[in-house]
């Protein structure tokens, strides 16, 4: 949860409008749904305290990507956002010694 809050603050400072957080569907959850200009961005946030098992983004495997895509389709349909430009991002948060580091990876899918 702390990582998602850090990611939200980061996105807002960059000019993104937060539309939804922790958006649940039958197919899974999307951590953050944001808008930047006319693009809808679906953001997966991964927070870690070390990279012992790889980078946080490495945890966004094929199955997770499929769940995010399906949940995004549900959101777009329910909100009547047909034909909008969309993008899928990952925000990695690494927390060490009370400090955090952000890596925003755009267009992962």
């Amino acid at each position: 949860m702390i990582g998602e809050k850090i990611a939200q603050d980061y996105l807002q400072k960059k000019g993104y409008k937060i539309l939804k957080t922790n958006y649940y569907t039958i197919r899974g959850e999307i951590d953050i749904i944001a808008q930047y200009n006319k693009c809808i961005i679906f953001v997966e946030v991964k927070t870690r305290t070390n990279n012992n098992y790889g980078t946080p983004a490495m945890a966004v495997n094929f199955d997770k990507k499929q769940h995010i895509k399906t949940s995004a389709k549900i959101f777009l349909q329910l909100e009547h956002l047909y034909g909008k430009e969309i993008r899928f991002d990952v925000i990695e948060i690494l927390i060490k010694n009370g400090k955090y580091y952000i890596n925003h990876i755009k267009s992962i899918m």
Side-chain angles (χ1 to χ4, degrees):
M1 289 303 217
I2 186 81
E4 290 175 18
K5 179 66 176 136
I6 292 168
Q8 287 177 48
D9 291 346
Y10 163 83
L11 290 170
Q12 288 174 321
K13 287 177 185 171
K14 295 287 186 181
Y16 290 69
K17 178 182 176 186
I18 305 299
L19 302 178
K20 302 276 184 186
T21 58
N22 304 109
Y23 183 78
Y24 290 94
T25 72
I26 194 166
R27 294 293 294 151
E29 177 200 5
I30 300 173
D31 294 327
I32 300 172
I33 303 172
Q35 183 171 352
Y36 188 75
N37 295 324
K38 294 184 179 186
C39 185
I40 305 296
I41 299 104
F42 300 92
V43 182
E44 178 69 13
V45 179
K46 290 295 181 191
T47 306
R48 300 287 186 271
T49 56
N50 61 57
N51 285 332
N52 291 348
Y53 300 101
T55 66
M58 291 174 73
V60 185
N61 60 24
F62 177 80
D63 289 338
K64 182 66 175 173
K65 288 178 182 178
Q66 292 305 111
H67 289 298
I68 294 169
K69 284 182 184 178
T70 304
S71 295
K73 286 179 187 176
I74 292 168
F75 171 80
L76 294 168
Q77 288 174 343
L78 291 175
E79 297 295 323
H80 307 288
L81 295 171
Y82 309 106
K84 289 282 189 178
E85 179 185 351
I86 63 170
R87 190 175 83 207
F88 298 92
D89 294 359
V90 170
I91 294 181
E92 298 177 315
I93 309 288
L94 184 62
I95 300 174
K96 279 187 166 184
N97 303 321
K99 296 181 182 181
Y100 60 86
Y101 306 89
I102 299 171
N103 183 27
H104 186 178
I105 304 167
K106 298 177 182 177
S107 300
I108 62 155
M109 294 184 253

Coordinates of all heavy atoms in Angstrom, one line a residue, residues 1-84:
M1 N 0.8 -1.2 0.0 CA 0.0 0.0 0.0 C 0.9 1.3 0.0 O 0.5 2.2 -0.6 CB -0.9 0.0 1.2 CG -2.0 -1.0 1.1 SD -3.0 -0.7 -0.4 CE -4.6 -1.1 0.1
I2 N 2.0 1.3 0.7 CA 2.8 2.4 0.7 C 3.4 2.7 -0.6 O 3.5 3.9 -1.1 CB 4.0 2.3 1.8 CG1 4.7 3.6 1.9 CG2 4.9 1.2 1.5 CD1 4.1 4.7 2.8
G3 N 3.7 1.7 -1.4 CA 4.2 1.8 -2.7 C 3.2 2.4 -3.6 O 3.5 3.3 -4.5
E4 N 2.0 2.0 -3.5 CA 0.9 2.6 -4.4 C 0.7 4.1 -4.1 O 0.5 4.8 -5.0 CB -0.4 1.8 -4.2 CG -0.3 0.4 -4.8 CD -1.5 -0.5 -4.5 OE1 -2.5 0.0 -4.2 OE2 -1.3 -1.7 -4.6
K5 N 0.8 4.5 -2.8 CA 0.6 5.9 -2.4 C 1.8 6.7 -3.0 O 1.6 7.8 -3.6 CB 0.6 6.0 -0.9 CG 0.5 7.4 -0.4 CD -0.8 8.1 -0.9 CE -1.0 9.5 -0.3 NZ -1.4 10.5 -1.3
I6 N 3.0 6.1 -2.9 CA 4.2 6.8 -3.5 C 4.0 7.0 -5.0 O 4.3 8.0 -5.6 CB 5.5 6.0 -3.2 CG1 5.8 6.1 -1.7 CG2 6.6 6.5 -4.0 CD1 6.9 5.1 -1.2
A7 N 3.5 5.9 -5.7 CA 3.3 6.0 -7.1 C 2.2 7.0 -7.5 O 2.4 7.7 -8.5 CB 2.9 4.6 -7.6
Q8 N 1.1 7.0 -6.7 CA 0.1 8.0 -7.0 C 0.6 9.5 -6.9 O 0.4 10.3 -7.8 CB -1.1 7.9 -6.0 CG -1.9 6.7 -6.2 CD -3.0 6.6 -5.1 OE1 -3.6 7.6 -4.8 NE2 -3.1 5.4 -4.6
D9 N 1.4 9.7 -5.8 CA 2.0 11.1 -5.6 C 2.9 11.4 -6.8 O 2.9 12.5 -7.3 CB 2.7 11.1 -4.3 CG 1.8 11.1 -3.1 OD1 0.6 11.3 -3.3 OD2 2.3 10.8 -2.0
Y10 N 3.7 10.4 -7.2 CA 4.7 10.6 -8.3 C 3.9 11.0 -9.6 O 4.3 11.9 -10.3 CB 5.5 9.3 -8.5 CG 6.2 9.2 -9.8 CD1 7.4 9.8 -10.0 CD2 5.6 8.5 -10.9 CE1 8.0 9.7 -11.3 CE2 6.2 8.4 -12.1 CZ 7.4 9.0 -12.3 OH 8.1 8.9 -13.5
L11 N 2.8 10.2 -9.9 CA 2.1 10.4 -11.1 C 1.4 11.8 -11.1 O 1.4 12.5 -12.1 CB 1.0 9.3 -11.3 CG 1.6 8.0 -11.7 CD1 0.5 6.9 -11.6 CD2 2.2 8.0 -13.1
Q12 N 0.8 12.2 -10.0 CA 0.2 13.5 -9.9 C 1.2 14.6 -10.1 O 0.9 15.6 -10.8 CB -0.6 13.6 -8.5 CG -1.8 12.7 -8.5 CD -2.5 12.7 -7.2 OE1 -1.8 12.7 -6.1 NE2 -3.8 12.7 -7.2
K13 N 2.4 14.5 -9.5 CA 3.4 15.5 -9.7 C 3.8 15.6 -11.2 O 4.3 16.7 -11.6 CB 4.6 15.2 -8.8 CG 4.4 15.5 -7.4 CD 5.6 15.1 -6.5 CE 5.2 15.3 -5.0 NZ 6.2 14.8 -4.2
K14 N 3.7 14.5 -11.9 CA 4.0 14.5 -13.3 C 2.9 15.0 -14.2 O 3.0 15.0 -15.5 CB 4.5 13.1 -13.8 CG 5.7 12.6 -13.1 CD 6.9 13.3 -13.7 CE 8.2 12.7 -13.2 NZ 9.4 13.4 -13.7
G15 N 1.7 15.3 -13.6 CA 0.6 15.8 -14.4 C -0.4 14.8 -14.8 O -1.4 15.1 -15.5
Y16 N -0.3 13.6 -14.2 CA -1.4 12.6 -14.5 C -2.6 12.8 -13.6 O -2.4 13.3 -12.4 CB -0.8 11.2 -14.1 CG 0.2 10.7 -15.1 CD1 1.5 11.2 -15.1 CD2 0.0 9.6 -15.9 CE1 2.5 10.7 -16.0 CE2 0.9 9.1 -16.8 CZ 2.2 9.7 -16.8 OH 3.2 9.2 -17.6
K17 N -3.8 12.5 -14.1 CA -5.0 12.6 -13.3 C -5.3 11.2 -12.9 O -5.4 10.3 -13.7 CB -6.1 13.2 -14.1 CG -7.4 13.2 -13.4 CD -8.5 13.8 -14.3 CE -9.9 13.7 -13.5 NZ -11.0 14.1 -14.4
I18 N -5.4 11.0 -11.6 CA -5.8 9.6 -11.0 C -7.3 9.4 -11.2 O -8.1 10.2 -10.6 CB -5.3 9.5 -9.6 CG1 -3.9 9.8 -9.4 CG2 -5.7 8.1 -9.1 CD1 -2.9 8.9 -10.2
L19 N -7.7 8.4 -11.9 CA -9.1 8.1 -12.1 C -9.6 7.1 -11.1 O -10.7 7.2 -10.6 CB -9.3 7.6 -13.5 CG -8.9 8.5 -14.7 CD1 -9.2 7.8 -16.0 CD2 -9.6 9.8 -14.6
K20 N -8.8 6.0 -10.9 CA -9.2 5.0 -9.9 C -8.0 4.4 -9.3 O -6.9 4.3 -9.9 CB -10.0 3.8 -10.7 CG -11.2 4.2 -11.4 CD -12.4 4.2 -10.6 CE -13.6 4.5 -11.4 NZ -14.8 4.7 -10.7
T21 N -8.1 3.9 -8.1 CA -7.1 3.1 -7.5 C -7.7 1.8 -7.0 O -8.9 1.7 -6.6 CB -6.5 3.9 -6.3 OG1 -7.5 4.2 -5.3 CG2 -5.8 5.2 -6.7
N22 N -6.9 0.8 -6.9 CA -7.3 -0.5 -6.5 C -8.6 -0.9 -7.2 O -9.6 -1.3 -6.5 CB -7.4 -0.6 -5.0 CG -6.1 -0.2 -4.3 OD1 -6.0 0.8 -3.7 ND2 -5.1 -1.1 -4.5
Y23 N -8.6 -0.9 -8.5 CA -9.8 -1.2 -9.3 C -9.9 -2.7 -9.4 O -9.1 -3.4 -10.0 CB -9.8 -0.5 -10.6 CG -11.0 -0.7 -11.5 CD1 -12.1 0.0 -11.2 CD2 -11.0 -1.6 -12.5 CE1 -13.2 -0.1 -12.0 CE2 -12.1 -1.8 -13.3 CZ -13.2 -1.0 -13.0 OH -14.4 -1.2 -13.8
Y24 N -11.0 -3.3 -8.8 CA -11.2 -4.7 -8.8 C -12.2 -5.2 -9.9 O -13.3 -4.5 -10.0 CB -11.7 -5.2 -7.5 CG -10.6 -5.1 -6.4 CD1 -10.5 -4.0 -5.6 CD2 -9.7 -6.1 -6.2 CE1 -9.6 -3.9 -4.6 CE2 -8.7 -6.1 -5.2 CZ -8.7 -4.9 -4.4 OH -7.7 -4.8 -3.5
T25 N -11.9 -6.2 -10.6 CA -12.8 -6.9 -11.5 C -12.8 -8.4 -11.1 O -11.9 -8.9 -10.4 CB -12.5 -6.7 -12.9 OG1 -11.4 -7.5 -13.3 CG2 -12.3 -5.2 -13.3
I26 N -13.6 -9.1 -11.8 CA -13.6 -10.6 -11.6 C -12.3 -11.2 -12.1 O -12.0 -12.3 -11.7 CB -14.9 -11.2 -12.3 CG1 -15.1 -12.6 -11.9 CG2 -14.7 -11.1 -13.8 CD1 -16.4 -13.2 -12.2
R27 N -11.6 -10.5 -13.0 CA -10.4 -11.0 -13.5 C -9.1 -10.5 -12.8 O -8.0 -10.9 -13.2 CB -10.3 -10.7 -15.0 CG -11.3 -11.3 -15.9 CD -11.2 -12.8 -16.0 NE -9.9 -13.1 -16.7 CZ -9.2 -14.1 -16.5 NH1 -9.5 -15.1 -15.7 NH2 -8.1 -14.3 -17.2
G28 N -9.3 -9.6 -11.9 CA -8.1 -9.2 -11.2 C -8.2 -7.7 -10.8 O -9.2 -7.1 -10.9
E29 N -7.1 -7.2 -10.3 CA -7.0 -5.8 -9.8 C -6.0 -5.0 -10.6 O -5.0 -5.5 -11.1 CB -6.5 -5.8 -8.4 CG -6.4 -4.4 -7.8 CD -5.5 -4.3 -6.6 OE1 -4.9 -5.3 -6.2 OE2 -5.4 -3.2 -6.0
I30 N -6.4 -3.7 -10.8 CA -5.5 -2.8 -11.4 C -5.1 -1.8 -10.3 O -6.0 -1.2 -9.7 CB -6.1 -2.0 -12.6 CG1 -6.4 -3.1 -13.7 CG2 -5.1 -1.0 -13.2 CD1 -7.2 -2.5 -14.9
D31 N -3.8 -1.6 -10.0 CA -3.4 -0.7 -8.9 C -3.8 0.7 -9.1 O -4.4 1.3 -8.2 CB -1.9 -0.8 -8.7 CG -1.5 -2.2 -8.2 OD1 -2.3 -2.9 -7.5 OD2 -0.4 -2.6 -8.6
I32 N -3.5 1.3 -10.3 CA -3.9 2.7 -10.6 C -4.3 2.8 -12.0 O -3.7 2.2 -12.9 CB -2.6 3.6 -10.4 CG1 -2.1 3.5 -8.9 CG2 -3.0 5.0 -10.8 CD1 -0.8 4.2 -8.7
I33 N -5.4 3.5 -12.2 CA -5.9 3.9 -13.5 C -5.8 5.4 -13.6 O -6.3 6.1 -12.7 CB -7.3 3.5 -13.8 CG1 -7.4 1.9 -13.7 CG2 -7.7 3.9 -15.3 CD1 -8.8 1.4 -13.8
A34 N -5.0 5.9 -14.5 CA -4.7 7.4 -14.6 C -5.0 7.8 -16.0 O -5.1 7.0 -17.0 CB -3.3 7.6 -14.2
Q35 N -5.0 9.1 -16.2 CA -5.1 9.7 -17.5 C -4.1 10.8 -17.6 O -3.8 11.6 -16.7 CB -6.5 10.4 -17.7 CG -6.7 11.0 -19.1 CD -8.2 11.4 -19.3 OE1 -9.0 11.2 -18.5 NE2 -8.4 12.1 -20.4
Y36 N -3.4 10.8 -18.8 CA -2.4 11.8 -19.1 C -2.7 12.3 -20.5 O -2.7 11.5 -21.5 CB -1.0 11.2 -19.1 CG 0.1 12.2 -19.2 CD1 0.4 13.1 -18.2 CD2 0.8 12.3 -20.4 CE1 1.4 14.0 -18.3 CE2 1.8 13.3 -20.5 CZ 2.1 14.1 -19.5 OH 3.0 15.1 -19.6
N37 N -3.1 13.5 -20.6 CA -3.6 14.1 -21.9 C -4.9 13.3 -22.2 O -5.7 13.1 -21.4 CB -2.6 14.1 -23.0 CG -1.4 15.1 -22.6 OD1 -1.7 16.1 -22.0 ND2 -0.2 14.7 -23.0
K38 N -4.9 12.6 -23.4 CA -6.1 11.9 -23.8 C -5.9 10.4 -23.6 O -6.7 9.6 -24.0 CB -6.5 12.2 -25.2 CG -7.0 13.6 -25.3 CD -7.4 13.9 -26.7 CE -7.9 15.4 -26.8 NZ -8.5 15.7 -28.0
C39 N -4.7 10.0 -23.0 CA -4.4 8.5 -22.9 C -4.8 8.0 -21.5 O -4.5 8.7 -20.5 CB -2.9 8.4 -23.1 SG -2.3 6.7 -23.1
I40 N -5.4 6.8 -21.5 CA -5.8 6.2 -20.3 C -4.6 5.2 -20.0 O -4.2 4.4 -20.8 CB -7.1 5.4 -20.4 CG1 -8.2 6.3 -20.8 CG2 -7.4 4.7 -19.1 CD1 -8.6 7.4 -19.9
I41 N -4.0 5.3 -18.8 CA -2.9 4.5 -18.4 C -3.3 3.5 -17.2 O -3.8 4.0 -16.2 CB -1.7 5.3 -18.0 CG1 -1.3 6.2 -19.2 CG2 -0.5 4.5 -17.6 CD1 -1.6 7.6 -19.0
F42 N -3.0 2.2 -17.5 CA -3.2 1.2 -16.4 C -1.9 0.9 -15.8 O -1.0 0.5 -16.5 CB -3.9 0.0 -17.1 CG -5.2 0.3 -17.7 CD1 -5.3 0.7 -19.0 CD2 -6.4 0.3 -17.0 CE1 -6.5 1.0 -19.6 CE2 -7.6 0.6 -17.5 CZ -7.7 1.0 -18.9
V43 N -1.8 1.1 -14.5 CA -0.5 1.1 -13.9 C -0.4 -0.1 -12.8 O -1.3 -0.1 -11.9 CB -0.1 2.4 -13.1 CG1 1.2 2.3 -12.5 CG2 -0.2 3.6 -14.1
E44 N 0.6 -0.9 -13.0 CA 0.9 -1.9 -12.0 C 2.0 -1.4 -11.1 O 3.1 -1.0 -11.7 CB 1.2 -3.3 -12.6 CG 1.6 -4.4 -11.7 CD 0.4 -4.9 -10.9 OE1 -0.8 -4.6 -11.2 OE2 0.7 -5.6 -9.9
V45 N 1.8 -1.4 -9.8 CA 2.9 -1.0 -8.9 C 3.5 -2.2 -8.2 O 2.8 -3.0 -7.6 CB 2.3 0.0 -7.8 CG1 3.4 0.5 -6.9 CG2 1.6 1.2 -8.5
K46 N 4.8 -2.2 -8.2 CA 5.5 -3.3 -7.6 C 6.6 -2.7 -6.6 O 7.4 -1.9 -7.0 CB 6.3 -4.2 -8.6 CG 5.3 -5.0 -9.4 CD 4.6 -6.0 -8.5 CE 3.7 -6.9 -9.3 NZ 2.8 -7.7 -8.4
T47 N 6.4 -3.0 -5.3 CA 7.3 -2.4 -4.3 C 8.2 -3.5 -3.7 O 7.7 -4.6 -3.4 CB 6.4 -1.8 -3.2 OG1 5.5 -0.9 -3.8 CG2 7.3 -1.1 -2.2
R48 N 9.4 -3.2 -3.5 CA 10.4 -4.2 -2.9 C 11.3 -3.5 -2.0 O 11.5 -2.3 -2.1 CB 11.2 -4.9 -4.0 CG 10.4 -5.7 -5.0 CD 9.8 -7.0 -4.4 NE 9.1 -7.8 -5.4 CZ 7.8 -7.8 -5.7 NH1 7.1 -6.9 -5.1 NH2 7.3 -8.6 -6.6
T49 N 12.0 -4.2 -1.2 CA 13.1 -3.7 -0.3 C 14.4 -4.1 -0.8 O 15.4 -3.6 -0.3 CB 12.9 -4.1 1.1 OG1 12.9 -5.5 1.2 CG2 11.6 -3.5 1.7
N50 N 14.5 -5.0 -1.8 CA 15.8 -5.4 -2.4 C 15.5 -6.0 -3.8 O 14.3 -6.3 -4.1 CB 16.5 -6.3 -1.5 CG 15.8 -7.6 -1.2 OD1 15.4 -8.4 -2.1 ND2 15.6 -7.9 0.0
N51 N 16.5 -6.3 -4.5 CA 16.4 -6.9 -5.8 C 16.9 -8.4 -5.8 O 17.4 -8.9 -6.8 CB 17.1 -6.1 -6.9 CG 16.4 -4.9 -7.3 OD1 15.2 -4.8 -7.2 ND2 17.1 -3.9 -7.7
N52 N 16.9 -9.0 -4.6 CA 17.4 -10.4 -4.5 C 16.8 -11.4 -5.4 O 17.4 -12.3 -5.9 CB 17.3 -10.9 -3.1 CG 18.2 -10.1 -2.1 OD1 19.1 -9.4 -2.5 ND2 17.9 -10.3 -0.8
Y53 N 15.5 -11.2 -5.8 CA 14.8 -12.1 -6.6 C 14.5 -11.4 -8.0 O 13.5 -11.8 -8.6 CB 13.6 -12.6 -6.0 CG 13.9 -13.3 -4.7 CD1 13.7 -12.7 -3.4 CD2 14.4 -14.6 -4.7 CE1 14.0 -13.4 -2.3 CE2 14.7 -15.3 -3.5 CZ 14.5 -14.7 -2.3 OH 14.8 -15.3 -1.2
G54 N 15.3 -10.5 -8.4 CA 15.0 -9.8 -9.6 C 14.4 -8.4 -9.4 O 14.0 -8.1 -8.2
T55 N 14.2 -7.7 -10.4 CA 13.6 -6.4 -10.3 C 12.1 -6.5 -10.0 O 11.5 -7.5 -10.4 CB 13.8 -5.5 -11.6 OG1 13.1 -6.2 -12.7 CG2 15.3 -5.4 -12.0
P56 N 11.5 -5.5 -9.4 CA 10.1 -5.6 -9.2 C 9.2 -5.9 -10.5 O 8.3 -6.6 -10.4 CB 9.7 -4.2 -8.6 CG 11.0 -3.8 -7.9 CD 12.1 -4.3 -8.8
A57 N 9.6 -5.3 -11.6 CA 8.9 -5.4 -12.8 C 8.9 -6.9 -13.3 O 8.0 -7.3 -14.0 CB 9.4 -4.5 -13.9
M58 N 9.9 -7.6 -12.9 CA 10.0 -9.0 -13.3 C 8.8 -9.9 -12.8 O 8.5 -10.9 -13.3 CB 11.3 -9.6 -12.9 CG 12.5 -9.1 -13.7 SD 14.1 -9.6 -13.1 CE 14.1 -11.3 -13.7
A59 N 8.2 -9.4 -11.7 CA 7.1 -10.1 -11.1 C 5.8 -9.9 -12.0 O 4.8 -10.6 -11.7 CB 6.8 -9.5 -9.7
V60 N 5.8 -9.0 -12.9 CA 4.7 -8.8 -13.8 C 4.8 -9.8 -15.0 O 5.3 -9.5 -16.1 CB 4.6 -7.4 -14.3 CG1 3.3 -7.2 -15.2 CG2 4.6 -6.4 -13.1
N61 N 4.5 -11.1 -14.7 CA 4.6 -12.1 -15.7 C 3.5 -12.2 -16.7 O 2.6 -11.3 -16.7 CB 4.8 -13.5 -14.9 CG 3.5 -13.8 -14.1 OD1 2.4 -13.3 -14.3 ND2 3.7 -14.6 -13.1
F62 N 3.5 -13.2 -17.6 CA 2.5 -13.3 -18.6 C 1.1 -13.3 -18.0 O 0.2 -12.6 -18.5 CB 2.8 -14.5 -19.5 CG 1.8 -14.8 -20.5 CD1 1.8 -14.1 -21.7 CD2 0.7 -15.7 -20.3 CE1 0.9 -14.2 -22.7 CE2 -0.2 -15.9 -21.3 CZ -0.2 -15.2 -22.5
D63 N 0.9 -14.2 -17.0 CA -0.4 -14.3 -16.4 C -0.9 -13.0 -15.9 O -2.1 -12.6 -16.0 CB -0.5 -15.4 -15.4 CG -0.4 -16.8 -15.9 OD1 -0.7 -17.0 -17.1 OD2 0.0 -17.7 -15.2
K64 N -0.1 -12.3 -15.2 CA -0.4 -11.0 -14.6 C -0.8 -10.0 -15.7 O -1.8 -9.2 -15.5 CB 0.7 -10.5 -13.7 CG 0.4 -9.1 -13.0 CD -0.7 -9.3 -12.0 CE -0.9 -8.0 -11.2 NZ -2.0 -8.1 -10.3
K65 N 0.0 -10.0 -16.7 CA -0.3 -9.1 -17.9 C -1.7 -9.4 -18.5 O -2.4 -8.5 -18.8 CB 0.8 -9.2 -18.9 CG 2.1 -8.5 -18.5 CD 3.1 -8.7 -19.6 CE 4.5 -8.1 -19.2 NZ 5.5 -8.3 -20.2
Q66 N -2.0 -10.7 -18.6 CA -3.3 -11.0 -19.1 C -4.4 -10.6 -18.2 O -5.5 -10.1 -18.7 CB -3.4 -12.6 -19.4 CG -2.5 -13.1 -20.4 CD -2.7 -12.4 -21.8 OE1 -1.8 -11.6 -22.2 NE2 -3.8 -12.6 -22.4
H67 N -4.3 -10.7 -16.9 CA -5.3 -10.2 -16.0 C -5.5 -8.7 -16.1 O -6.6 -8.2 -16.0 CB -4.9 -10.7 -14.6 CG -5.1 -12.1 -14.3 ND1 -6.3 -12.8 -14.4 CD2 -4.2 -13.0 -14.0 CE1 -6.1 -14.1 -14.1 NE2 -4.8 -14.3 -13.9
I68 N -4.4 -8.0 -16.2 CA -4.4 -6.6 -16.3 C -5.2 -6.2 -17.6 O -6.0 -5.3 -17.6 CB -3.0 -5.9 -16.2 CG1 -2.4 -6.1 -14.8 CG2 -3.1 -4.4 -16.6 CD1 -0.9 -5.8 -14.8
K69 N -4.8 -6.8 -18.7 CA -5.5 -6.5 -20.0 C -7.0 -6.7 -19.9 O -7.7 -5.9 -20.4 CB -4.9 -7.3 -21.1 CG -3.5 -6.9 -21.6 CD -3.0 -7.8 -22.7 CE -1.7 -7.4 -23.2 NZ -1.2 -8.3 -24.3
T70 N -7.3 -7.9 -19.4 CA -8.8 -8.2 -19.3 C -9.5 -7.2 -18.4 O -10.6 -6.7 -18.7 CB -9.0 -9.6 -18.8 OG1 -8.2 -10.5 -19.6 CG2 -10.4 -10.0 -18.8
S71 N -8.9 -6.9 -17.2 CA -9.5 -5.9 -16.3 C -9.6 -4.5 -17.0 O -10.6 -3.8 -16.8 CB -8.7 -5.8 -15.0 OG -8.8 -7.1 -14.3
A72 N -8.6 -4.2 -17.8 CA -8.7 -2.9 -18.5 C -9.8 -2.9 -19.5 O -10.5 -1.9 -19.6 CB -7.3 -2.7 -19.2
K73 N -10.0 -4.0 -20.2 CA -11.2 -4.0 -21.1 C -12.5 -3.8 -20.4 O -13.4 -3.1 -20.9 CB -11.1 -5.4 -21.9 CG -10.1 -5.5 -22.9 CD -10.1 -6.8 -23.6 CE -8.9 -7.0 -24.5 NZ -8.9 -8.4 -25.1
I74 N -12.6 -4.5 -19.2 CA -13.8 -4.3 -18.4 C -14.0 -2.9 -18.0 O -15.1 -2.3 -18.2 CB -13.8 -5.3 -17.2 CG1 -13.8 -6.7 -17.7 CG2 -14.9 -4.9 -16.2 CD1 -13.5 -7.8 -16.6
F75 N -13.0 -2.3 -17.5 CA -13.1 -0.9 -17.1 C -13.5 0.0 -18.3 O -14.4 0.9 -18.2 CB -11.7 -0.4 -16.6 CG -11.7 1.1 -16.3 CD1 -12.2 1.7 -15.2 CD2 -11.1 2.0 -17.3 CE1 -12.2 3.0 -15.0 CE2 -11.0 3.3 -17.1 CZ -11.6 3.9 -15.9
L76 N -12.8 -0.1 -19.4 CA -13.2 0.7 -20.6 C -14.6 0.5 -21.1 O -15.3 1.5 -21.4 CB -12.2 0.4 -21.8 CG -10.7 0.8 -21.5 CD1 -9.8 0.1 -22.6 CD2 -10.6 2.3 -21.4
Q77 N -15.1 -0.7 -21.0 CA -16.5 -1.0 -21.4 C -17.5 -0.3 -20.4 O -18.4 0.3 -20.8 CB -16.8 -2.5 -21.5 CG -16.1 -3.1 -22.7 CD -16.2 -4.6 -22.7 OE1 -16.5 -5.2 -21.7 NE2 -16.0 -5.2 -23.8
L78 N -17.2 -0.6 -19.1 CA -18.1 0.0 -18.1 C -18.1 1.5 -18.0 O -19.2 2.1 -17.7 CB -17.8 -0.6 -16.7 CG -18.0 -2.1 -16.5 CD1 -17.5 -2.5 -15.1 CD2 -19.5 -2.4 -16.6
E79 N -17.0 2.1 -18.4 CA -16.9 3.6 -18.3 C -17.2 4.2 -19.7 O -17.1 5.4 -19.8 CB -15.5 4.0 -17.9 CG -15.2 3.6 -16.4 CD -16.1 4.2 -15.4 OE1 -16.4 5.4 -15.6 OE2 -16.4 3.5 -14.4
H80 N -17.6 3.4 -20.7 CA -17.9 3.8 -22.1 C -16.8 4.7 -22.7 O -17.0 5.7 -23.2 CB -19.2 4.7 -22.0 CG -20.3 3.9 -21.4 ND1 -21.0 2.8 -22.0 CD2 -20.9 4.0 -20.2 CE1 -21.9 2.4 -21.3 NE2 -21.9 3.1 -20.1
L81 N -15.6 4.1 -22.5 CA -14.4 4.8 -23.0 C -13.8 4.1 -24.3 O -12.7 3.8 -24.4 CB -13.3 4.9 -21.9 CG -13.6 5.7 -20.7 CD1 -12.6 5.5 -19.6 CD2 -13.8 7.2 -21.1
Y82 N -14.7 3.9 -25.2 CA -14.4 3.2 -26.4 C -13.5 4.1 -27.3 O -13.6 5.3 -27.4 CB -15.7 2.9 -27.2 CG -16.7 2.2 -26.4 CD1 -17.9 2.9 -25.9 CD2 -16.6 0.9 -26.0 CE1 -18.8 2.3 -25.2 CE2 -17.5 0.2 -25.2 CZ -18.6 0.9 -24.8 OH -19.6 0.3 -24.0
G83 N -12.5 3.4 -27.9 CA -11.6 4.1 -28.9 C -10.6 5.0 -28.2 O -9.9 5.7 -29.0
K84 N -10.4 5.0 -26.9 CA -9.4 5.8 -26.3 C -8.0 5.2 -26.5 O -7.9 4.0 -26.5 CB -9.7 5.9 -24.8 CG -10.9 6.8 -24.4 CD -10.6 8.2 -24.5 CE -11.7 9.0 -24.0 NZ -11.4 10.5 -24.0

